[in-house]
Amino acid sequence: MPAQQKKIIFCIAGVLSFACALGTAAAIGTQLWVKGTILCKTGALLVNATGQELEKFIGEIQYGLFYGERVRQCGLGGRPFQFSFFPDLLKIIPASIHVSVILFCTVLIVFALVGAGFFMFNAFGSPYETLHGPVGLYLWSFIACSCGCLIMILFSSEVKIHHLSEKIANFKEGSFTFKTHSEQFANSFWIVLVCSLVHFVNALLIRFAGFEFPFSKSKDSGTTTGAADLMY
């Protein structure tokens, strides 16, 4: 492939990596990871609410990695409540998983920036070491993509398996019990998914630029080695 086309491909990959780093950094600071509704189960059972009457007992909840907000509905109107994971909810959430999600988000941002830098270096410079060349580009893209996948897996397990929304909804609730009525992942979660796909696409762009995948051997070398073995 001509050098000019390789520069264009590396520039595109570098810009995509940098955009992913900025997008992930912005996603971490928002509370748009999960949105849902919570049902005041105790209040609904007290009045035996059914049908449209249940709407008076359905509140809202949304949260991110650091803070969030819930609107408590128990038949007397909505009462908003702001909360933060650190240190308020640290005792009731799976702290190890939650901290791991934040850690992998940080690693994703770092390696996305590193990948963007090396993509630009390969576009306008001359690779002079292995980690600055094709193998390094594959490495940074693979690490960033893996971190994005781990973020989605860990956060999904925290929300779905450990019932994070219900734990937050029942925080500091003595006599009332809340149950998750509906929940869905919001924009910030899908930004991480898009970033993971972008880093996978970057690996394909490297291959498209003419570089072989790491640890792959060409057929010519194998044929030459076989012929040499036959000679001896």
Side-chain angles (χ1 to χ4, degrees):
M1 179 176 288
Q4 189 66 26
Q5 294 183 19
K6 288 184 179 181
K7 287 184 178 181
I8 294 174
I9 290 175
F10 285 145
C11 285
I12 293 173
V15 171
L16 290 176
S17 294
F18 185 73
C20 285
L22 292 181
T24 305
I28 291 177
T30 68
Q31 60 180 19
L32 299 177
W33 284 72
V34 175
K35 284 185 176 182
T37 56
I38 50 176
L39 172 65
C40 181
K41 187 177 179 181
T42 304
L45 289 175
L46 285 175
V47 299
N48 195 20
T50 57
Q52 294 184 351
E53 296 177 350
L54 280 177
E55 295 180 0
K56 298 180 180 179
F57 298 92
I58 296 177
E60 298 178 354
I61 186 172
Q62 67 175 12
Y63 55 90
L65 299 181
F66 293 99
Y67 63 97
E69 181 182 8
R70 76 182 188 197
V71 179
R72 186 175 180 271
Q73 287 271 14
C74 287
L76 298 175
R79 298 182 180 181
F81 175 74
Q82 299 281 344
F83 60 86
S84 61
F85 284 91
F86 305 98
D88 296 342
L89 303 175
L90 198 58
K91 294 182 179 180
I92 66 170
I93 65 172
S96 59
I97 298 178
H98 199 78
V99 172
S100 297
V101 172
I102 297 174
L103 177 62
F104 282 119
C105 284
T106 305
V107 175
L108 173 58
I109 295 172
V110 171
F111 279 97
L113 290 174
V114 171
F118 281 118
F119 274 119
M120 291 301 179
F121 178 82
N122 279 269
F124 299 103
S126 299
Y128 56 90
E129 291 181 3
T130 301
L131 292 181
H132 291 181
V135 178
L137 296 180
Y138 283 120
L139 179 63
W140 312 133
S141 299
F142 174 76
I143 293 176
C145 183
S146 300
C147 288
C149 294
L150 287 172
I151 291 168
M152 291 184 294
I153 293 172
L154 291 175
F155 190 74
S156 298
S157 66
E158 186 180 8
V159 174
K160 299 298 182 180
I161 298 177
H162 294 276
H163 306 290
L164 184 61
S165 298
E166 286 190 6
K167 290 181 179 179
I168 295 174
N170 289 284
F171 177 63
K172 289 185 178 181
E173 291 291 342
S175 57
F176 288 92
T177 302
F178 290 86
K179 183 178 180 181
T180 302
H181 187 260
S182 66
E183 64 180 359
Q184 60 273 344
F185 295 108
N187 298 339
S188 296
F189 180 84
W190 299 119
I191 287 176
V192 176
L193 173 61
V194 171
C195 289
S196 301
L197 295 176
V198 166
H199 290 296
F200 179 76
V201 170
N202 281 349
L204 297 180
L205 288 177
I206 301 169
R207 182 67 185 89
F208 182 73
F211 294 123
E212 294 182 356
F213 287 109
F215 312 112
S216 62
K217 296 181 179 179
S218 62
K219 295 181 180 180
D220 296 338
S221 61
T223 304
T224 305
T225 305
D229 293 339
L230 290 175
M231 291 178 63
Y232 293 97

